[in-house]
Amino acid sequence: MEAFAAAGLLERAHGMLDRLDGATAARASHAFARATVSRARALCLAGAGDLDRAAGVFEEAAAAFAALGRPVEQGRTLLAWGRVERRRRRVATAKAVWERARSVCAGAGAHPWSALVDGHLARLAGAASGAAGPDGGEAYRLTERERLLVRLVAEGRSNPEAAHRLFVSRKTVEAMLSRVYRKVGVRNRTELAALVGTGGACEQAPRAPVAGPGPGVPEAGSGGVRTRR
């Protein structure tokens, strides 16, 4: 469900969520499943641009995971909630939510997750002080081509496969990935895929074009259509 939401397949995600809502509503033993469904629902709402409702559902899901004694899931939910607050331009709230996430993740020994939160907080502090980074201080100002690449990485595509799908060289893919890592504050493909799984980086990313052999194939780009020579 979360993968569908992160990939922008919101209709499929909502269909699954509606079925799971009915299946998990009756029993107290399904509390963890209900919390997971709530987080996925919030990701779908955020992907559809309904940020106010998404923030409320994330808050409920984080509280549910806390009550269940599942700190890693609570931290992941807080991380995603903070991104929504950042998109709502509620900087103080985003900071407070991410600080909670950092504390929860660090306390659970989930150091990769706490490192991700640290990166968000650092960029937030830089934007607040006017110290814009390479992306102008905005956490996820990715180009269309970069978002396509993020989606391919999240699908498990290798660099050569991504290069084939995007009609570029392998070296171009490597350079693009390096830029994406800097922009979203991760260090490798694993962390990038984890970030996508919590609703960040490529919300509603467009589908990558299907590659075809030979010259004359249109090359997608933000500045129009070019053909391979």
Side-chain angles (χ1 to χ4, degrees):
M1 297 178 297
E2 294 185 6
F4 286 147
L9 303 176
L10 301 182
E11 186 175 346
R12 291 184 66 180
H14 278 301
M16 292 182 65
L17 290 169
D18 290 341
R19 292 192 295 272
L20 287 169
D21 273 339
T24 62
R27 298 183 181 179
S29 60
H30 291 161
F32 177 78
R34 286 196 299 273
T36 303
V37 168
S38 293
R39 182 173 61 202
R41 181 81 68 186
L43 289 170
C44 288
L45 291 169
D50 192 346
L51 302 182
D52 291 344
R53 287 180 62 197
V57 178
F58 272 130
E59 183 174 10
E60 292 172 1
F65 283 125
L68 290 167
R70 302 298 291 266
V72 175
E73 300 303 326
Q74 181 191 2
R76 289 183 59 200
T77 306
L78 290 169
L79 176 62
W81 176 16
R83 293 196 191 100
V84 167
E85 297 296 356
R86 181 67 179 89
R87 289 175 60 189
R88 296 170 79 196
R89 301 187 184 279
R90 299 182 59 182
V91 176
T93 303
K95 181 174 182 291
V97 171
W98 281 335
E99 286 175 343
R100 283 177 58 195
R102 178 171 60 186
S103 176
V104 168
C105 290
H111 301 301
W113 289 105
S114 59
L116 279 176
V117 179
D118 282 338
H120 282 59
L121 287 167
R123 285 192 304 277
L124 191 65
S129 65
D135 59 348
E138 183 66 35
Y140 301 124
R141 188 177 296 165
L142 302 182
T143 67
E144 180 180 342
R145 183 67 66 85
E146 288 168 346
R147 289 188 293 114
L148 287 169
L149 177 57
V150 169
R151 178 170 181 156
L152 291 170
V153 169
E155 291 174 354
R157 305 286 183 176
S158 67
N159 284 3
E161 289 172 329
H164 181 64
R165 294 290 297 275
L166 297 176
F167 309 113
V168 298
S169 69
R170 186 186 306 186
K171 287 186 177 180
T172 298
V173 166
E174 292 170 355
M176 289 170 63
L177 272 176
S178 294
R179 288 197 301 272
V180 169
Y181 293 162
R182 289 195 300 271
K183 287 183 178 184
V184 304
V186 300
R187 293 167 293 184
N188 52 49
R189 296 170 68 94
T190 301
E191 290 185 359
L192 182 61
L195 183 61
V196 173
T198 59
C202 65
E203 292 170 353
Q204 294 189 331
R207 289 186 178 275
V210 177
V217 178
E219 180 175 354
S222 59
V225 177
R226 300 186 297 276
T227 57
R228 298 181 71 187
R229 303 294 182 187

